[in-house]
Amino acid sequence: MRELLQTLGLQATNPGAATGGTEGWLDTRGEELVSVSPIDGRPIAAVRMATADDYEAVMTMARTGFERWRMIPAPQRGKIIGEIGCALLQRKESLARLITMESGKIIEEGRGEIQEMIDVADFALGLSRQLYGLTMPSERPHHRMYEQWHPLGIVGVISSFNFPAAVWSWNAFIAAVCGDAILWKPSSKTPLTAIAVQRILDPILDRHDLRGVFNLVIGSGREVGERMTADRRLPLISATGSCDMGRRIGQQVAARLGRSLLELGGNNAIIVGADADLDLALEAAVFSAIGTAGQRCTSARRLIVHHSRKEIFLSRLKDVYSRITIGHPLDGSVTMGPLIDATAVTAMMDALDRARRNGGRILYGGKKRTIQGLENGFYVEPAIVEAPRDLPVMMEETFAPIVYVVEYDRLADALALNNAASEGLSSALITDSLRAAEEFLSARGTDCGIANVNGGTIGAEIGGAFGGEKDTGGGRESGSDAWKAYMRRQTVTINWGPALRKAQGIRFDVGARPDHTAR
Ligand code: UN1
């Protein structure tokens, strides 16, 4: 572990002691935050959290960074993001290992997370020559009208433990290519990953004399998070986390008329059609339900299976679950690592208790699991619950590998169940029927931000806009035209004629011209 931290520029000489301050360049006296590995419950290292003074110092640096950065042409900014992408590629393996140690996700997913960052960097580089504005015909002679996009300022990014780096990069690289500076508050459960990423960026920023473009502040939600949401110097707060957290942040930011971009919870379903390819359905369901141990906002929490396939589907699902290997997430043969902490384990056990008490049948798993040599880690068996349609706990997002299975008869019925969730993030339908697929994708189909046919609910590519409706918060991040959230739009009208022409043909002659009577 020590070696890994050193490779990434972190000096954990003494686990449990401070590794290096809130970030690469600030020396702080703030309180200690210990990063505990969910793999064995042991501290990896500790960092110091930012004080109010540190926060101000970082904000000053961000302001200086922004003032320089915004005047650098976007294609040049893109090249610098491209350099960051290359640096991430060089450190891919060690960063992936650190993410695995700190978040507990299996190493293959850790690698996927860094790859996702590299992909976003590529996307941002391409985007840097495509921050297009429209030109519109003016109704007035000798007038030109167009819109242009300017950076917003310093963008606050609050990220969560389950994607401790990639979701930050969706925001940070896109915002940066738009000309914004970024202030990052990572989850208090994964501060080391954030410091490691910052240490990779720092030499690149230094080389271009651009310190202050990407900034890091580590601290609790109550301290740093609240300060950010109240801070008018942050015109946009992009936050990933629970619906409760998003509701609080959204209200606080709205109270100062700031903008928020929210990527909150999901209660995602996979509909398995009467004509579904069952092999594909199983693969999609298992990957979506147990990937990241069910701790993604996109995780499949409900399987809505056509009654004619339910029996065979369930028996095959149990069979696949029995082959899931649970253990040390750095071990390449392991398919599911631990949950993030003891609270997550308790939440899972509570949800299963409530399911049992309200008519749910636990068909598989759902117990705590002790792994030899890792007795203090937070391991559980993934659970399959056969649920009545009105099981209350099924309508809540429990961040754990629990999948509820319900049956349906008509597609309209399955869609109603899919849309009954208060969140609206991801959804999937497994079918070979063109009609069913189009119905699912139609205006009366799934109401989620993400709709997949013959795939699972997790694992979105970065090129599309990512996000969801209803309690998921409505934000869109990453690909497509999500960049617009990080810029301000300016509508420009240029009059190159001799007279002041009014729109809507309004006549308003106040006699300001000496020759007005002659006209
Ligand atoms: C999240 O869980 O917060 O689509 C994001 C996915 C990943 C991102 C998940 N690319 O599952």
Side-chain angles (χ1 to χ4, degrees), residues 116 162-163 167 170 240 263 295-298 457-460 466:
E116 193 158 340
N162 64 336
F163 275 82
V167 174
W170 293 355
T240 308
E263 206 268 277
Q295 299 170 106
R296 291 198 198 192
C297 53
T298 48
T457 52
I458 74 169
F466 183 96

Side-chain angles (χ1 to χ4, degrees), residues 64-207:
T64 313
F66 171 61
E67 277 166 16
R68 228 171 99 55
W69 186 237
R70 66 178 162 184
M71 294 310 289
I72 294 177
Q76 285 184 37
R77 295 196 294 251
K79 285 193 176 138
I80 294 170
I81 309 293
E83 281 180 42
I84 293 174
C86 292
L88 288 169
L89 180 60
Q90 280 165 9
R91 301 294 183 85
K92 183 171 172 179
E93 190 59 25
S94 30
L95 264 180
R97 291 174 85 81
L98 179 60
I99 286 181
T100 290
M101 290 302 295
E102 216 179 15
S103 74
K105 65 173 67 177
I106 58 170
I107 184 65
E108 190 55 20
E109 291 187 61
R111 291 184 188 117
E113 172 145 11
I114 309 305
Q115 188 56 48
E116 193 158 340
M117 299 175 82
I118 298 164
D119 294 346
V120 180
D122 283 353
F123 183 87
L125 171 55
L127 185 64
S128 70
R129 288 182 187 268
Q130 300 176 74
L131 300 171
Y132 300 136
L134 294 173
T135 298
M136 48 287 287
S138 169
E139 65 193 45
R140 291 167 282 180
H142 303 132
H143 278 64
R144 183 159 76 84
M145 248 177 103
Y146 69 98
E147 58 189 21
Q148 58 177 353
W149 295 83
H150 286 313
L152 275 180
I154 309 168
V155 170
V157 179
I158 298 176
S159 61
S160 73
F161 78 86
N162 64 336
F163 275 82
V167 174
W168 165 81
S169 76
W170 293 355
N171 289 281
F173 294 167
I174 304 296
V177 97
C178 292
D180 298 313
I182 290 90
L183 181 71
W184 181 14
K185 187 201 109 47
S187 160
S188 298
K189 292 174 184 141
T190 50
L192 298 174
T193 300
I195 295 179
V197 169
Q198 184 71 41
R199 295 259 163 98
I200 290 172
L201 305 184
D202 282 346
I204 299 170
L205 297 177
D206 281 346
R207 205 160 51 238

Side-chain angles (χ1 to χ4, degrees), residues 154-490:
I154 309 168
V155 170
V157 179
I158 298 176
S159 61
S160 73
F161 78 86
N162 64 336
F163 275 82
V167 174
W168 165 81
S169 76
W170 293 355
N171 289 281
F173 294 167
I174 304 296
V177 97
C178 292
D180 298 313
I182 290 90
L183 181 71
W184 181 14
K185 187 201 109 47
S187 160
S188 298
K189 292 174 184 141
T190 50
L192 298 174
T193 300
I195 295 179
V197 169
Q198 184 71 41
R199 295 259 163 98
I200 290 172
L201 305 184
D202 282 346
I204 299 170
L205 297 177
D206 281 346
R207 205 160 51 238
H208 296 281
D209 194 17
L210 282 168
R211 275 279 170 130
V213 174
F214 294 100
N215 307 277
L216 178 61
V217 179
I218 291 170
S220 67
R222 198 169 290 164
E223 281 290 319
V224 172
E226 299 270 324
R227 198 164 280 133
M228 286 171 75
T229 51
D231 195 335
R232 294 177 62 85
R233 293 168 296 180
L234 298 171
L236 171 69
I237 299 286
S238 174
T240 308
S242 68
C243 296
D244 283 347
M245 182 207 78
R247 225 169 259 124
R248 254 191 338 268
I249 291 181
Q251 286 177 21
Q252 284 160 359
V253 176
R256 63 169 168 93
L257 299 183
R259 292 191 204 171
S260 52
L261 207 172
L262 301 174
E263 206 268 277
L264 311 174
N267 188 348
N268 318 292
I270 301 180
I271 302 173
V272 180
D275 56 1
D277 173 334
L278 271 197
D279 296 337
L280 201 109
L282 281 164
E283 250 181 280
V286 177
F287 179 48
S288 299
I290 70 140
T292 326
Q295 299 170 106
R296 291 198 198 192
C297 53
T298 48
S299 294
R301 313 217 172 274
R302 298 176 296 150
L303 303 177
I304 304 172
V305 185
H306 192 263
H307 68 86
S308 64
R309 312 299 289 282
K310 190 173 160 204
E311 212 179 297
I312 172 84
F313 180 79
L314 273 178
S315 98
R316 290 193 58 189
L317 187 67
K318 282 191 281 188
D319 184 47
V320 179
Y321 265 54
S322 71
R323 277 181 268 122
I324 288 167
T325 43
I326 303 162
H328 199 303
L330 278 180
D331 174 347
S333 67
V334 160
T335 34
M336 202 181 92
L339 291 180
I340 188 68
D341 56 18
T343 314
V345 176
T346 309
M348 176 173 176
M349 298 305 140
D350 285 353
L352 290 171
D353 268 355
R354 286 179 56 202
R356 247 183 241 113
R357 273 188 272 119
N358 291 291
R361 280 178 52 215
I362 318 284
L363 298 183
Y364 185 91
K367 297 197 188 68
K368 293 184 197 171
R369 176 69 82 82
T370 308
I371 307 288
Q372 214 186 350
L374 306 172
E375 284 78 7
N376 293 322
F378 307 112
Y379 298 88
V380 292
E381 296 166 350
I384 305 172
V385 181
E386 191 179 18
R389 295 169 65 114
D390 57 354
L391 183 69
V393 70
M394 179 170 68
M395 300 319 279
E396 290 171 20
E397 179 191 40
T398 305
F399 235 48
I402 304 176
V403 78
Y404 300 97
V405 182
V406 285
E407 65 174 42
Y408 79 94
D409 190 12
R410 290 167 42 251
L411 183 59
D413 209 24
L415 286 169
L417 274 171
N418 178 78
N419 295 349
S422 51
E423 304 88 344
L425 180 55
S426 189
S427 54
L429 168 66
I430 313 291
T431 185
D432 276 351
S433 154
L434 178 70
R435 285 187 175 161
E438 292 294 338
E439 181 72 38
F440 172 72
L441 298 171
S442 77
R444 63 180 182 193
T446 170
D447 63 1
C448 294
I450 296 170
N452 299 328
V453 175
N454 289 335
T457 52
I458 74 169
E461 297 181 23
I462 60 97
F466 183 96
E469 305 302 331
K470 302 190 289 184
D471 287 2
T472 303
R476 291 296 186 279
E477 296 174 356
S478 185
S480 184
D481 65 352
W483 60 270
K484 290 179 176 169
Y486 306 90
M487 301 199 86
R488 60 185 169 89
R489 183 197 311 243
Q490 189 167 65

